[in-house]
Every structure is written in C-alpha cells, then in structure tokens.
C-alpha cells in the first residue's frame, strides 16, 4: 500500500523554515544594530519572512484534504527530507548564532544560503499544491529571489567589488 502525501504537511515544513529564517534575520538585525544599513536590511528581511509565514499559513489552512499516492512507500518523505537542509537551520538560537556569525559577511553568507534553500524548497513545493495556491508560491519564490539579490548586493558592496 502506498503512503499518502498530505500537501498541507509539506506547506507546514515551509512555514517552519520561514520561521527559522525570520528568527535568523531578527538575530542579525539585533547583532548589527550599530550598523544602520545592515540593521535595516535584516529587519526588512525579518518582516518579509513574517509576511511569508502568514501567506503560507493561508495556503495551508485553505487546502482541501487532497492526497497524492507515492510511487513507493516513503518517496515523498525522503525527497522532502533531502530538500530540508537541517545543518543550515540547526544553529538558529542566540548561542548558535553567536557561534557562526562573527562578521557582517558571515550573516550575509548565511542569509544567501537561506534564500537559496527557500527558492529550491518552494519550487518543489509548487509541484504538490493546487493551481491557485501555486500562483501564490510562485510570487513568494520571486520575493525570495529578491531577498537573495539584496543580500548578495550588500555583500558585494561590503567587499568593495
């Protein structure tokens, strides 16, 4: 008997990842509060992640109990587990943050990694949800791409290249 994938569960994984990114950006905004441009960037990113959480909660709450049959037991769980980079998110605590983020460039690099992860995860998520929700996810993917560009440009500016 094939396992059944609940699309709402995949959306929930996305919500949890958004919350981790929100928490990271909040810590970064606080860490670099003396550097206005960085503080403002990380605060904006934090606020955008809060908005993404609301949008994904709306998608999750509005989903029908649609079910998909897997080709083999555990297919979807294995695939989504492979997409969830737990190492990337493992140290988003004040203590862990202090351990991994020593400089503004460290924070920018980590943020770029988070945004790449979000783009990959949400691109795959779109395969499992209804067309109306898929449009919202595609808009959010474009927003994550913009976040990555903001972070990349800030890093480029800081390194003088």
């Amino acid at each position: 008997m094939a396992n059944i994938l609940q699309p709402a569960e995949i959306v929930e994984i996305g919500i949890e990842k958004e919350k981790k990114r929100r928490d990271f950006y909040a810590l970064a905004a606080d860490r670099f509060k003396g550097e206005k441009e960085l503080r403002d960037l990380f605060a904006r990113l934090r606020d955008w992640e809060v908005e993404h959480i609301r949008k994904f909660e709306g998608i999750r709450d509005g989903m029908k109990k649609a079910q998909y049959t897997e080709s083999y037991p555990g297919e979807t769980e294995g695939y989504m587990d492979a997409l969830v980079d737990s190492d990337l998110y493992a140290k988003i605590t004040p203590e862990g943050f202090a351990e991994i983020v020593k400089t503004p460039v460290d924070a920018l690099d980590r943020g770029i990694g988070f945004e790449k992860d979000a783009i990959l995860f949400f691109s795959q998520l779109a395969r499992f949800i209804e067309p109306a929700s898929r449009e919202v996810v595609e808009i959010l993917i474009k927003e994550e791409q913009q976040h990555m560009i903001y972070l990349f440009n800030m890093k480029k500016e800081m390194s003088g290249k």
Side-chain angles (χ1 to χ4, degrees):
M1 180 169 172
N3 288 342
I4 300 297
L5 162 69
Q6 293 293 328
E9 293 171 355
I10 296 173
V11 174
E12 189 62 43
I13 293 169
I15 291 168
E16 291 308 309
K17 290 170 74 95
E18 289 288 328
K19 288 178 180 177
K20 287 287 197 173
R21 283 190 290 279
R22 174 204 60 201
D23 294 348
F24 174 83
Y25 291 134
L27 288 167
D30 187 55
R31 173 77 172 262
F32 300 108
K33 60 185 167 202
E35 300 176 46
K36 183 181 177 355
E37 195 172 12
L38 274 175
R39 180 197 67 221
D40 291 350
L41 172 64
F42 288 126
R44 257 193 330 272
L45 288 163
R46 176 202 60 220
D47 295 346
W48 287 333
E49 298 301 344
V50 168
E51 185 58 31
H52 289 182
I53 292 165
R54 278 191 278 253
K55 288 177 182 177
F56 277 112
E57 287 172 342
I59 290 170
R60 179 202 58 208
D61 296 345
M63 291 182 110
K64 295 179 180 152
K65 294 291 182 189
Q67 296 181 344
Y68 299 88
T69 304
E70 298 175 321
S71 301
Y72 57 89
E75 174 187 24
T76 304
E77 181 179 352
Y79 181 65
M80 296 312 284
D81 282 349
L83 284 179
V84 176
D85 184 349
S86 59
D87 290 340
L88 185 63
Y89 294 89
K91 294 188 174 185
I92 304 179
T93 64
E95 300 78 22
F97 181 86
E99 225 178 88
I100 58 173
V101 177
K102 306 282 188 218
T103 68
V105 172
D106 293 340
L108 293 167
D109 281 339
R110 196 71 164 191
I112 290 167
F114 285 135
E115 298 306 329
K116 286 179 181 178
D117 178 74
I119 293 164
L120 174 63
F121 185 83
F122 296 143
S123 295
Q124 296 306 303
L125 168 66
R127 296 174 36 197
F128 297 103
I129 58 179
E130 298 172 358
S133 293
R134 192 173 305 130
E135 290 174 25
V136 173
V137 171
E138 288 169 3
I139 290 167
L140 293 171
I141 289 168
K142 287 180 181 153
E143 290 178 12
E144 299 291 6
Q145 290 168 336
Q146 284 297 333
H147 298 177
M148 188 174 68
I149 290 167
Y150 291 137
L151 291 161
F152 178 78
N153 286 338
M154 177 68 78
K155 180 181 172 186
K156 197 162 101 175
E157 184 180 305
M158 290 185 84
S159 63
K161 294 181 180 180

